[in-house]
């Protein structure tokens, strides 16, 4: 692909010898892909007075997708020209993300309405696969029906997205009704808005901090004393992270990881849609502590309700403080990894960076960057106001603090369960979820989402917290708990998870890209080659660049280890 020339159509003119011996001037041939005049006008009008800076590429791609329902090659070329970028750079970014429907030259237009059927584990257990086939057959060519990875509605599975409207406990009739009524926009729930939050005492802690009545050292001490850890999955001590960023020379930035894409996880969405300013106050406290001039809040595109709420409530904040930038993801699980998140915030493909340097040293726009998860920041205000002893007064089985468990699957009352850290799966099901669903017996569970492994019901007394599951080859992660019953196929569940990782691998490193693909092929066989699968798992775990490839085989290896009855003893080799 030729180098793209922005702005002027600069033609290189060459002379060549005519066969007759004379010299003839060749036609001017513009260099690079040509921009169609109509597409150029449309893109200029669409962007209006918005900035053309490089990091807004994904935001501008969203504008095109939202307006036209697809992104044509002509619009890509016009956008590249308008932003002074190479066409290849824009094309590779647009095609990396699942929610950008890029139509290449010569391809037919995509139907304006897309129906996405979630087929991640919980939805699959509750009939999503058959629902997908039925909808594809019955909705016709005017509607595009596609599978989708987890949309964060596991507690109301199966979930279907019609445009940007979600159908809970979906069946064919409900989806057809939503399509027929043109019900494609998100419905905002009741939530605590700015005025209500302030009236109830909100932002007083932030005001004290900015006025100097509350010191930065006091804030950091509370975080240290409470042992608050990152609740997005990694569990890094929050106080230590904030101190590390403060120790780096400025200017500094802050990024909020709201790309909650782990199948089975929906707690961040729950808090955003209920009490967004408690999260925003924690965010602004963090930004003040590290002296960040700008805060970038990255929310997955599957959360249009949360995005709309945040857009409205950020605008309601009084002037002063750091600039807050709200950014939409575009359908890429890998962007939940912190360095991939940074790449996406910069308007690029979400490819993980090699470490070191770490983001607190060289992060967003090469500046020291504080990165926190939404739920971590949600608890900051309460910790400061109520103290570390309040936080540590909660907990069971030798653990301290509170955890927000996203529980789905075969329980009577799925949902976000705020429970003591260290609660066991048995306690969680019996005390917080109303027991198992009628007609189902507890058989297995995922303690930490798709990558956290699978354990049998016999191991129901393990405290669910950081540091308690690792010795079993599992981890708590973001506390996404999926409960399986005697009516579920554990091997099929592991295959569903591996297919998810195969789809979501960014493709940058061979162990993950090829390993997940080979694992799926091997697991689709009726009889598993256990030795080869374990060898493949070790390669993925040891050689992948980031946590996706390193943890993708956890469900596979735990099923092999803890469910031996699924694998009859192989015959002894003849001597």
């Amino acid at each position: 692909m030729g180098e793209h020339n922005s702005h002027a159509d600069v033609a290189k003119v060459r002379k060549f010898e005519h066969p007759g011996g004379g010299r003839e001037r060749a036609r001017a041939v513009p260099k690079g892909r040509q921009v169609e005049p109509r597409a150029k006008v449309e893109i200029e009008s669409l962007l209006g007075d918005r900035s053309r800076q490089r990091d807004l590429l994904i935001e501008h791609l969203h504008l095109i997708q939202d307006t036209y329902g697809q992104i044509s090659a002509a619009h890509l070329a016009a956008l590249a020209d308008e932003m002074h970028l190479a066409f290849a750079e824009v094309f590779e970014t647009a095609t990396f993300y699942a929610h950008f429907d890029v139509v290449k030259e010569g391809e037919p237009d995509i139907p304006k309405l897309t129906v996405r059927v979630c087929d991640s584990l919980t939805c699959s257990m509750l009939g999503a696969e058959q629902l997908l086939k039925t909808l594809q057959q019955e909705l016709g060519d005017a509607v595009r029906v596609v599978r989708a990875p987890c949309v964060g509605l596991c507690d109301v599975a199966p979930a279907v997205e019609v445009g940007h409207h979600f159908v809970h406990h979906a069946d064919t009739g409900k989806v057809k009704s939503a399509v027929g009524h043109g019900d494609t926009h998100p419905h905002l729930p009741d939530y605590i808005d700015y005025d209500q939050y302030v009236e109830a005492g909100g932002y007083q802690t932030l005001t004290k901090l900015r006025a100097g009545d509350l010191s930065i050292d006091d804030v950091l001490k509370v975080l240290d004393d409470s042992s608050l850890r990152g609740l997005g999955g990694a569990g890094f001590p929050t106080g230590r992270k904030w101190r590390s960023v403060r120790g780096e020379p400025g200017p500094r930035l802050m990024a909020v990881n709201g790309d909650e894409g782990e199948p089975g996880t929906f707690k961040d969405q729950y808090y955003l849609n209920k009490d967004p300013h408690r999260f925003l106050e924690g965010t602004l406290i963090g930004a003040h502590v590290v002296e960040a001039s700008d805060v970038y809040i990255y929310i997955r595109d599957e959360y249009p309700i949360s995005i709309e709420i945040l857009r409205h409530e950020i605008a309601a904040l009084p002037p002063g403080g750091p600039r807050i930038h709200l950014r939409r993801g575009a359908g890429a699980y890998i962007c939940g990894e912190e360095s991939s998140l940074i790449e996406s915030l910069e308007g690029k493909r979400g490819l993980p960076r090699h470490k070191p340097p770490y983001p607190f040293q060289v992060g967003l726009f090469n500046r020291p960057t504080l990165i926190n998860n939404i739920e971590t920041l949600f608890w900051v205000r309460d910790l400061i106001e109520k103290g570390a002893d309040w936080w540590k007064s909660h907990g069971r089985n030798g653990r301290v603090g509170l955890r927000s468990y996203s529980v789905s699957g075969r329980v009577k009352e799925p949902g976000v369960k705020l429970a003591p850290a260290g609660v066991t799966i048995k306690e969680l099901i019996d005390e917080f979820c109303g027991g198992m669903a009628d007609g189902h017996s507890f058989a297995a569970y995922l303690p930490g989402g798709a990558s956290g492994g699978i354990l049998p019901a016999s191991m129901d007394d393990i405290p669910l917290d950081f540091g308690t599951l690792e010795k079993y080859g599992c981890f708590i992660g973001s506390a996404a708990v999926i409960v399986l019953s005697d009516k579920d196929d554990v091997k099929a569940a592991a295959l569903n998870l591996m297919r998810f990782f195969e789809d979501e691998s960014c493709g940058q490193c061979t162990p993950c890209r090829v390993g997940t693909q080979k694992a799926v092929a091997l697991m689709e066989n009726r009889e598993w080659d256990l030795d080869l699968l374990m060898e493949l798992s070790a390669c993925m775990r040891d050689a992948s660049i980031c946590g996706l490839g390193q943890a993708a085989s956890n469900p596979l290896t735990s099923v092999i280890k803890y469910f031996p009855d699924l694998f009859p003893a192989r015959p002894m080799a003849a001597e």
Side-chain angles (χ1 to χ4, degrees):
M1 187 173 292
E3 178 185 349
H4 180 72
N5 242 329
S6 56
H7 283 311
D9 286 334
V10 180
K12 280 194 172 180
V13 180
R14 63 183 177 86
K15 293 183 178 180
F16 64 96
E17 292 292 332
H18 190 272
R23 297 181 64 83
E24 182 177 301
R25 185 175 296 275
R27 280 186 184 177
V29 180
K31 189 179 180 184
R33 181 178 293 268
Q34 295 306 287
V35 177
E36 296 180 9
R38 179 179 176 181
K40 182 176 178 64
V41 170
E42 288 172 342
I43 294 300
E44 287 177 346
S45 174
L46 190 60
L47 297 188
D49 60 359
R50 293 178 174 87
S51 170
R52 271 62 166 172
Q53 64 197 54
R54 174 66 177 81
D55 60 289
L56 290 173
L57 173 58
I58 292 174
E59 291 296 300
H60 294 343
L61 288 169
H62 274 304
L63 276 175
I64 301 173
Q65 178 73 42
D66 292 345
T67 303
Y68 296 97
Q70 62 184 28
I71 303 176
S72 67
H75 282 150
L76 280 180
L79 180 62
D81 182 73
E82 191 68 18
M83 297 187 70
H84 300 180
L85 296 172
F87 177 85
E89 203 171 354
V90 176
F91 179 83
E92 71 178 10
T93 300
T95 53
F96 179 85
Y97 295 94
H99 289 187
F100 294 141
D101 299 316
V102 178
V103 179
K104 301 174 184 177
E105 292 178 357
E107 291 182 347
D109 286 347
I110 293 171
K112 289 190 175 181
L113 181 60
T114 294
V115 173
R116 289 185 166 90
V117 181
C118 177
D119 70 349
S120 288
L121 181 56
T122 304
C123 285
S124 180
M125 289 163 54
L126 295 173
E129 293 177 7
Q130 184 56 50
L131 179 61
L132 174 63
K133 292 178 183 177
T134 303
L135 292 173
Q136 287 175 332
Q137 293 170 355
E138 298 186 9
L139 285 181
D141 296 335
V143 178
R144 185 176 63 143
V145 181
V146 297
R147 58 166 297 279
C150 187
V151 296
L153 293 172
C154 315
D155 54 332
V156 291
V160 174
E161 185 179 8
V162 179
H164 274 307
H165 166 67
F166 291 95
V167 180
H168 299 173
H169 303 295
D171 57 31
T172 306
K174 287 183 178 179
V175 175
K176 284 185 173 180
S177 176
V179 171
H181 287 87
D183 199 3
T184 61
H185 297 288
H187 299 169
L188 298 188
D190 292 330
Y191 65 90
I192 301 171
D193 64 16
Y194 176 77
D195 291 335
Q196 293 169 320
Y197 184 74
V198 171
E199 186 178 348
Y203 289 112
Q204 290 183 10
T205 299
L206 177 64
T207 300
K208 290 178 182 178
L209 181 63
R210 288 177 172 174
D213 298 328
L214 174 67
S215 73
I216 288 175
D217 287 340
D218 288 339
V219 171
L220 293 172
K221 187 176 187 304
V222 170
L223 296 179
D224 290 338
D225 290 348
S226 65
S227 300
L228 179 67
R229 300 175 66 169
L231 300 174
F236 193 85
T238 304
R240 191 192 309 173
K241 178 180 283 190
W242 288 23
R243 291 180 189 276
S244 297
V245 176
R246 273 184 60 84
E248 294 294 316
R252 308 179 194 96
L253 299 173
M254 182 176 183
V256 177
N257 189 343
D259 195 62
E260 185 182 44
E262 183 79 7
T265 311
F266 45 92
K267 62 184 178 62
D268 290 351
Q269 178 179 216
Y270 172 81
Y271 288 121
L272 287 176
N273 293 359
K274 180 180 180 182
D275 195 359
H277 284 281
R278 195 170 299 269
F279 151 70
L280 286 172
E281 183 169 9
T283 299
L284 293 172
I285 289 171
H288 182 88
V289 168
V290 302
E291 299 175 357
S293 61
D294 292 80
V295 177
Y296 291 79
I297 302 176
Y298 187 99
I299 305 294
R300 66 188 308 226
D301 197 36
E302 291 86 347
Y303 288 176
I305 293 172
S306 302
I307 292 171
E308 189 62 30
I309 289 173
L310 283 176
R311 183 176 289 119
H312 185 272
E313 296 308 314
I314 289 171
L317 292 173
R323 290 178 294 271
I324 299 178
H325 310 266
L326 182 61
R327 298 289 174 85
R328 288 167 64 182
Y333 167 73
I334 190 65
C335 291
E337 193 276 334
E338 61 180 5
S339 65
S340 302
L341 173 81
I342 290 171
E343 290 290 299
S344 191
L345 282 169
E346 293 179 355
K348 306 171 187 173
R349 295 175 294 167
L351 300 180
R353 295 178 179 179
H354 291 275
K355 302 171 185 176
Y358 295 95
F360 80 87
Q361 301 165 314
V362 181
L364 186 59
F365 308 123
N366 294 320
R367 296 182 181 180
T369 304
L370 174 63
I371 303 177
N372 277 130
N373 161 263
I374 285 169
E375 193 199 352
T376 309
L377 296 166
F378 182 88
W379 291 114
V380 167
R381 175 197 162 188
D382 282 334
L383 276 171
I384 296 171
E385 294 181 358
K386 298 178 181 179
D389 289 341
W390 164 78
W391 182 258
K392 295 170 75 171
S393 68
H394 300 281
R396 287 190 189 177
N397 302 308
R399 318 305 296 179
V400 298
L402 292 166
R403 289 303 304 263
S404 302
Y405 297 92
S406 303
V407 186
S408 64
R410 308 296 189 177
V411 294
K412 282 185 180 178
E413 301 168 9
V416 175
K417 309 297 178 178
L418 183 61
V423 68
T424 67
I425 185 64
K426 178 175 174 48
E427 294 168 337
L428 192 60
I429 293 172
D430 293 343
E431 297 178 35
F432 295 88
C433 300
M436 292 293 293
D438 293 337
H440 292 267
S441 298
F442 181 36
Y445 68 105
L446 281 70
S451 54
I454 305 177
L455 293 173
S458 59
M459 300 173 68
D460 64 355
D461 59 349
I462 304 170
L464 300 179
D465 197 17
F466 295 116
T468 61
L469 292 154
E470 283 77 0
K471 63 183 178 181
Y472 304 106
C474 302
F475 55 80
I476 187 68
S478 58
V481 178
I482 303 177
V483 179
L484 283 67
S485 78
D486 55 333
K487 293 180 170 56
D488 296 310
D489 184 336
V490 176
K491 287 176 67 177
L495 176 58
N496 176 283
L497 300 173
M498 189 60 73
R499 283 174 174 156
F500 169 81
F501 290 124
E502 179 190 16
D503 287 344
E504 295 297 329
S505 173
C506 74
Q508 181 178 197
C509 68
T510 302
C512 177
R513 181 185 67 251
V514 178
T516 52
Q517 179 185 25
K518 296 297 183 185
V520 166
L522 290 168
M523 294 168 73
E524 286 175 336
N525 294 328
R526 186 171 181 178
E527 300 295 331
W528 286 10
D529 187 330
L530 303 187
D531 292 337
L532 185 55
L533 280 169
M534 292 300 287
E535 183 179 353
L536 179 61
S537 298
C539 176
M540 293 166 59
R541 183 174 57 252
D542 296 341
S544 295
I545 291 174
C546 80
L548 190 156
Q550 294 164 9
S553 64
N554 285 346
L556 161 65
T557 55
S558 57
V559 167
I560 292 174
K561 183 175 182 180
Y562 296 114
F563 298 84
D565 293 345
L566 299 177
F567 308 99
R570 287 168 292 179
M572 296 289 290
E575 295 185 1

